PDB file of all heavy atoms in Angstrom:
ATOM      1  N   CYS X   4     -42.377 -99.977  -2.848  1.00  0.00           N
ATOM      2  CA  CYS X   4     -42.024-100.244  -1.427  1.00  0.00           C
ATOM      3  C   CYS X   4     -40.667-101.029  -1.349  1.00  0.00           C
ATOM      4  O   CYS X   4     -40.565-101.996  -1.975  1.00  0.00           O
ATOM      5  CB  CYS X   4     -43.151-101.113  -0.821  1.00  0.00           C
ATOM      6  SG  CYS X   4     -42.874-101.462   0.886  1.00  0.00           S
ATOM      7  N   SER X   5     -39.792-100.471  -0.468  1.00  0.00           N
ATOM      8  CA  SER X   5     -38.495-101.124  -0.353  1.00  0.00           C
ATOM      9  C   SER X   5     -38.583-102.424   0.464  1.00  0.00           C
ATOM     10  O   SER X   5     -37.667-103.197   0.521  1.00  0.00           O
ATOM     11  CB  SER X   5     -37.462-100.187   0.257  1.00  0.00           C
ATOM     12  OG  SER X   5     -38.001 -99.686   1.495  1.00  0.00           O
ATOM     13  N   GLN X   6     -39.733-102.636   1.088  1.00  0.00           N
ATOM     14  CA  GLN X   6     -39.917-103.845   1.879  1.00  0.00           C
ATOM     15  C   GLN X   6     -40.595-104.987   1.096  1.00  0.00           C
ATOM     16  O   GLN X   6     -40.295-106.166   1.288  1.00  0.00           O
ATOM     17  CB  GLN X   6     -40.835-103.606   3.130  1.00  0.00           C
ATOM     18  CG  GLN X   6     -40.141-102.660   4.148  1.00  0.00           C
ATOM     19  CD  GLN X   6     -38.713-103.185   4.559  1.00  0.00           C
ATOM     20  OE1 GLN X   6     -38.585-104.350   4.938  1.00  0.00           O
ATOM     21  NE2 GLN X   6     -37.713-102.325   4.410  1.00  0.00           N
ATOM     22  N   CYS X   7     -41.540-104.618   0.189  1.00  0.00           N
ATOM     23  CA  CYS X   7     -42.341-105.655  -0.503  1.00  0.00           C
ATOM     24  C   CYS X   7     -42.461-105.448  -2.019  1.00  0.00           C
ATOM     25  O   CYS X   7     -43.141-106.292  -2.688  1.00  0.00           O
ATOM     26  CB  CYS X   7     -43.721-105.814   0.144  1.00  0.00           C
ATOM     27  SG  CYS X   7     -44.888-104.587  -0.318  1.00  0.00           S
ATOM     28  N   ALA X   8     -41.946-104.376  -2.538  1.00  0.00           N
ATOM     29  CA  ALA X   8     -41.928-104.059  -4.005  1.00  0.00           C
ATOM     30  C   ALA X   8     -43.216-103.670  -4.553  1.00  0.00           C
ATOM     31  O   ALA X   8     -43.344-103.379  -5.742  1.00  0.00           O
ATOM     32  CB  ALA X   8     -41.311-105.177  -4.805  1.00  0.00           C
ATOM     33  N   ALA X   9     -44.283-103.514  -3.736  1.00  0.00           N
ATOM     34  CA  ALA X   9     -45.604-103.063  -4.252  1.00  0.00           C
ATOM     35  C   ALA X   9     -45.487-101.526  -4.558  1.00  0.00           C
ATOM     36  O   ALA X   9     -44.641-100.825  -4.034  1.00  0.00           O
ATOM     37  CB  ALA X   9     -46.662-103.305  -3.189  1.00  0.00           C
ATOM     38  N   LEU X  11     -46.174 -97.644  -4.459  1.00  0.00           N
ATOM     39  CA  LEU X  11     -46.529 -96.796  -3.274  1.00  0.00           C
ATOM     40  C   LEU X  11     -47.582 -95.769  -3.709  1.00  0.00           C
ATOM     41  O   LEU X  11     -47.711 -95.446  -4.942  1.00  0.00           O
ATOM     42  CB  LEU X  11     -45.270 -96.020  -2.893  1.00  0.00           C
ATOM     43  CG  LEU X  11     -44.147 -96.880  -2.317  1.00  0.00           C
ATOM     44  CD1 LEU X  11     -42.912 -96.005  -1.940  1.00  0.00           C
ATOM     45  CD2 LEU X  11     -44.625 -97.619  -1.028  1.00  0.00           C
ATOM     46  N   CYS X  26     -47.369 -97.759   1.642  1.00  0.00           N
ATOM     47  CA  CYS X  26     -47.501 -99.066   0.902  1.00  0.00           C
ATOM     48  C   CYS X  26     -48.798 -99.713   1.544  1.00  0.00           C
ATOM     49  O   CYS X  26     -48.844-100.147   2.651  1.00  0.00           O
ATOM     50  CB  CYS X  26     -46.349 -99.941   1.199  1.00  0.00           C
ATOM     51  SG  CYS X  26     -46.530-101.596   0.436  1.00  0.00           S
ATOM     52  N   ALA X  28     -49.947-102.581   0.512  1.00  0.00           N
ATOM     53  CA  ALA X  28     -49.766-104.010   0.530  1.00  0.00           C
ATOM     54  C   ALA X  28     -49.217-104.474   1.887  1.00  0.00           C
ATOM     55  O   ALA X  28     -49.787-105.402   2.497  1.00  0.00           O
ATOM     56  CB  ALA X  28     -48.804-104.415  -0.575  1.00  0.00           C
ATOM     57  N   CYS X  29     -48.179-103.780   2.442  1.00  0.00           N
ATOM     58  CA  CYS X  29     -47.595-104.261   3.645  1.00  0.00           C
ATOM     59  C   CYS X  29     -47.789-103.281   4.815  1.00  0.00           C
ATOM     60  O   CYS X  29     -47.378-103.525   5.955  1.00  0.00           O
ATOM     61  CB  CYS X  29     -46.099-104.612   3.481  1.00  0.00           C
ATOM     62  SG  CYS X  29     -45.038-103.203   3.404  1.00  0.00           S
ATOM     63  N   GLY X  30     -48.346-102.084   4.515  1.00  0.00           N
ATOM     64  CA  GLY X  30     -48.680-101.137   5.569  1.00  0.00           C
ATOM     65  C   GLY X  30     -47.513-100.239   5.964  1.00  0.00           C
ATOM     66  O   GLY X  30     -47.663 -99.329   6.838  1.00  0.00           O
ATOM     67  N   THR X  31     -46.342-100.313   5.348  1.00  0.00           N
ATOM     68  CA  THR X  31     -45.216 -99.544   5.719  1.00  0.00           C
ATOM     69  C   THR X  31     -45.457 -98.076   5.211  1.00  0.00           C
ATOM     70  O   THR X  31     -45.888 -97.848   4.090  1.00  0.00           O
ATOM     71  CB  THR X  31     -43.946-100.064   5.043  1.00  0.00           C
ATOM     72  OG1 THR X  31     -43.723-101.421   5.455  1.00  0.00           O
ATOM     73  CG2 THR X  31     -42.742 -99.238   5.519  1.00  0.00           C
ATOM     74  N   HIS X  33     -43.328 -94.845   4.340  1.00  0.00           N
ATOM     75  CA  HIS X  33     -41.897 -94.554   4.027  1.00  0.00           C
ATOM     76  C   HIS X  33     -41.686 -93.009   4.193  1.00  0.00           C
ATOM     77  O   HIS X  33     -42.093 -92.219   3.389  1.00  0.00           O
ATOM     78  CB  HIS X  33     -41.519 -94.967   2.618  1.00  0.00           C
ATOM     79  CG  HIS X  33     -41.601 -96.437   2.405  1.00  0.00           C
ATOM     80  ND1 HIS X  33     -40.604 -97.290   2.662  1.00  0.00           N
ATOM     81  CD2 HIS X  33     -42.688 -97.237   2.012  1.00  0.00           C
ATOM     82  CE1 HIS X  33     -40.964 -98.555   2.431  1.00  0.00           C
ATOM     83  NE2 HIS X  33     -42.281 -98.528   1.985  1.00  0.00           N
TER      84      HIS X  33
HETATM   85 ZN1   ZN B 202     -44.770-102.746   1.172  1.00  0.00          ZN
END
Side-chain angles (χ1 to χ4, degrees):
Chain X
C4 179
S5 56
Q6 292 308 307
C7 79
L11 296 175
C26 177
C29 77
T31 304
H33 297 273

